Amino acid sequence: MNLVLAFTIATKNYLREEDELSDDVAALVAHIPEYAARIAAQNAAADADASADSKGLSGRGLPPAAASLDAAAMAEDKPLSLPMELTLHLQAFTNYCRRNELVDIPVQNQLTAAVSALVDSVTSFERIRSSPIPFAYNIHLKQTLLVYLLSLPFQLLPGIFWATVPAVFLASFVFLGIEAIGGQIENPFGYDPNDLPQDEYIDEIREEIQHMVVKHSNFDTAGWVEPYPSLAKAVTPEVAAATAAAAAAAKQEKKGLFGRRSGTGSSVPV
């Protein structure tokens, strides 16, 4: 559950081009040795920076050994983003559960499919973020709108006279607004009011995971009551005897029907 929640937060940080191994993510993956070492390196670099700031030194004025702490921590080869690395750990945990017979094969297949869905979602997010409006198209659209709006008053003036001013204002508002909206939806993963509320999504996922964990540990069927008690009380011995008699009569009639068919020479299934 910690890795699932860490995946969501790391994906948010990755899409916003922030520190993927932030404090909230580090608290969820600190039990993995690989990330524990990276967290320790980050903390050492942060302590070195804080010490340098307290002494009034800048990054350029630091001794070579201290100035290279952060560079050494970031020089590690990272071919994958943190969300993709976490999917590898999730798949490794799935394989561990199957290897120790904690889950059966159908459950493992479902878990593998869920991990594959996470990978597909990250790929889709990357495609959205890395596919902006082409720069040439954006410039050409702005220039075309500018030329059209500047020439619009000369086209409207002979026909509507004084109404040219509000007409040009309205046309400029509509066309320039559409062009601005196109730029706003280009990257929906930022902090703008029109962007996706990723922080709210993560809070909802965190609450759902905590709710499932707490409720699962508190499930106890010992206190369950019999469903539909009024219907159960309505089945009196007389009603049960009448129902049994009707079932016996129907069974006897069915046997008699099969007997008449067998007497005529037709095949009767066994």
Side-chain angles (χ1 to χ4, degrees), residues 15 32 39 73 98 101 117 158 182 196 228 234:
L15 295 175
I32 301 178
I39 294 170
R98 177 54 196 157
E101 298 184 354
L196 296 175
Y228 308 108

Side-chain angles (χ1 to χ4, degrees), residues 108-243:
Q108 183 194 21
N109 294 336
Q110 294 179 3
L111 294 175
T112 302
V115 175
S116 299
L118 295 178
V119 175
D120 293 339
S121 65
V122 174
T123 304
S124 301
F125 294 152
E126 288 179 337
R127 188 181 301 113
I128 294 174
R129 191 192 64 174
S130 60
S131 301
I133 299 176
F135 181 75
Y137 173 82
N138 198 7
I139 295 299
H140 179 72
L141 180 61
K142 291 179 182 296
Q143 293 176 348
T144 303
L145 284 177
L146 181 62
V147 172
Y148 173 75
L149 294 176
L150 289 178
S151 62
L152 186 60
F154 301 99
Q155 303 174 26
L156 299 180
L157 185 61
I160 59 177
F161 301 103
W162 62 269
T164 300
V165 175
V168 172
F169 175 79
L170 180 61
S172 302
F173 175 79
V174 172
F175 288 110
L176 294 178
I178 293 175
E179 191 274 332
I181 291 173
Q184 284 287 327
I185 64 177
E186 185 177 3
N187 183 9
F189 303 116
Y191 290 96
D192 295 335
N194 296 324
D195 292 334
L196 296 175
Q198 299 182 80
D199 295 319
E200 297 180 5
Y201 296 159
I202 291 176
D203 292 338
E204 293 178 359
I205 295 174
R206 180 185 289 107
E207 292 177 359
E208 291 177 358
I209 291 177
Q210 293 176 351
H211 181 77
M212 287 188 295
V213 172
V214 172
K215 283 295 183 181
H216 179 73
S217 60
N218 293 335
F219 277 153
D220 184 11
T221 60
W224 288 11
V225 297
E226 183 180 2
Y228 308 108
S230 59
L231 295 179
K233 294 179 180 179
V235 181
T236 60
E238 292 79 6
V239 175
T243 303

Side-chain angles (χ1 to χ4, degrees), residues 40-56:
Q42 287 186 358
N43 293 336
D47 294 340
D49 293 339
S51 176
D53 293 338
S54 63
K55 295 178 181 179

Side-chain angles (χ1 to χ4, degrees), residues 34-100:
E34 173 187 352
Y35 299 115
R38 290 170 57 178
I39 294 170
Q42 287 186 358
N43 293 336
D47 294 340
D49 293 339
S51 176
D53 293 338
S54 63
K55 295 178 181 179
L57 299 176
S58 61
R60 295 181 179 179
L62 288 177
S68 62
L69 283 176
D70 188 58
M74 300 303 295
E76 180 184 0
D77 186 16
K78 285 182 57 179
L80 293 177
S81 61
L82 183 58
M84 300 300 289
E85 291 181 4
L86 292 176
T87 57
L88 296 179
H89 288 285
L90 287 171
Q91 185 60 46
F93 178 74
T94 300
N95 297 336
Y96 167 82
C97 292
R98 177 54 196 157
R99 187 166 55 250
N100 292 272

